[in-house]
Amino acid sequence: MNGVLRLVLFQARRDRVALPVWILGISLLGVATSAAVATQFGAESSQAAILTVAASNPAFLFLRGLPDGTGTGPVVFFTAYAFTAVLASLMSTFLVVRHTRSDEELGRAELLGSVPAPRAASLMATLVLGAVANLVLAVFVAAGFIAAGLPGGGAAGAGAAVGTVGACFVGLAAVAAQVLPSGRSANGAAAGLVGAAYLLRGLGDALGTPAVDCSTCQVPGRRCCRPSAGASARGRSRARIRPCCWCRSLPPWPWELSPW
């Protein structure tokens, strides 16, 4: 275990520039999105209008996911989450392949074989480094949202969502790196998995038909979902308890529900 920890520190030292750039860049994207939403869609009427347009446009839903109600926090999450999650996934896949299959191609892994360390020490260290990097990313994303003026609880949930997606792709990239023969092919396959996940998420959000009529407001100050004649019982229940400007026959993915 001591050897694995030393290897983690060695890998972190090699990535002392790349990882901070990834983490700060993703975090700043969240901060910039928060500032843009607060500036351009600060009023609830503006938020409801843009979300109503998005809910009626499958292309918009494919790119960004399902909106989860009005308010600065939900609109920021709807606008930024899909792209920050993709960037976190790419950060994780490139990190894993760089320290596993690419090191084997360049001969660095042979140096490790000359010291008394487990054969899987490099992979174990990479998994630890990937998990720590995504934990730090989650903290920085949450801190960025808090600095932008969003509530702390929702900011923590949003940061955890981004970090969790990145951590999942650490494992997927590790599998790709072990199966494929070169670092280039492993990077391509891992990036393809990221694209496939985004495509699957986009199709799930874009397909389906609206299950409610969102044109009637029943709670002062909110745009609420009112079940239409063909809405299911579950849709009617969701419509009663969740103020929002969308409701669809297909429920949203669990990780797309806004933490705010």
Side-chain angles (χ1 to χ4, degrees):
M1 181 58 71
N2 188 39
V4 173
L5 293 179
R6 288 187 177 183
L7 191 54
V8 171
L9 295 177
F10 174 70
Q11 291 180 351
R13 184 174 180 274
R14 285 177 54 196
D15 282 345
R16 62 186 180 275
V17 174
L19 278 181
V21 169
W22 275 103
I23 291 172
L24 291 177
I26 296 171
S27 303
L28 290 176
L29 175 61
V31 174
T33 303
S34 302
V37 169
T39 302
Q40 299 180 12
F41 306 107
E44 188 171 7
S45 58
S46 300
Q47 296 167 3
I50 188 64
L51 293 182
T52 301
V53 172
S56 62
N57 189 337
F60 217 137
L61 298 178
F62 180 89
L63 290 174
R64 297 186 182 274
L66 294 172
D68 194 32
T70 56
T72 302
V75 175
V76 169
F77 191 78
F78 165 69
T79 305
Y81 172 67
F83 299 129
T84 54
V86 167
L87 291 175
S89 304
L90 293 175
M91 177 193 77
S92 299
T93 57
F94 294 154
L95 181 150
V96 171
V97 175
R98 181 167 59 249
H99 291 296
T100 53
R101 183 58 69 192
S102 294
D103 276 358
E104 293 178 6
E105 285 186 305
L106 297 175
R108 295 192 184 104
E110 296 179 2
L111 297 176
L112 295 176
S114 63
V115 300
R119 290 187 60 185
S122 178
L123 178 60
M124 294 169 59
T126 302
L127 293 177
V128 172
L129 179 61
V132 172
N134 281 284
L135 177 61
V136 174
L137 174 63
V139 172
F140 270 72
V141 170
F145 283 139
I146 293 174
L150 298 179
V162 174
T164 300
V165 172
C168 290
F169 278 92
V170 168
L172 292 175
V175 174
Q178 298 304 306
V179 171
L180 295 170
S182 67
R184 186 171 297 179
S185 61
N187 269 327
L193 290 175
V194 175
Y198 187 86
L199 177 64
L200 180 62
R201 192 274 317 154
L203 290 175
D205 290 338
L207 297 178
T209 55
V212 299
D213 176 15
C214 297
S215 60
T216 301
C217 223
Q218 296 179 340
V219 178
R222 305 286 292 187
R223 287 185 66 87
C224 300
C225 293
R226 181 169 59 85
S228 63
S232 63
R234 182 177 180 180
R236 293 174 186 272
S237 176
R238 287 175 61 86
R240 284 198 299 268
I241 64 176
R242 280 190 86 92
C244 57
C245 60
W246 66 270
C247 275
R248 298 170 66 82
S249 57
L250 296 177
W253 299 102
W255 53 82
E256 289 187 317
L257 295 177
S258 170
W260 281 281

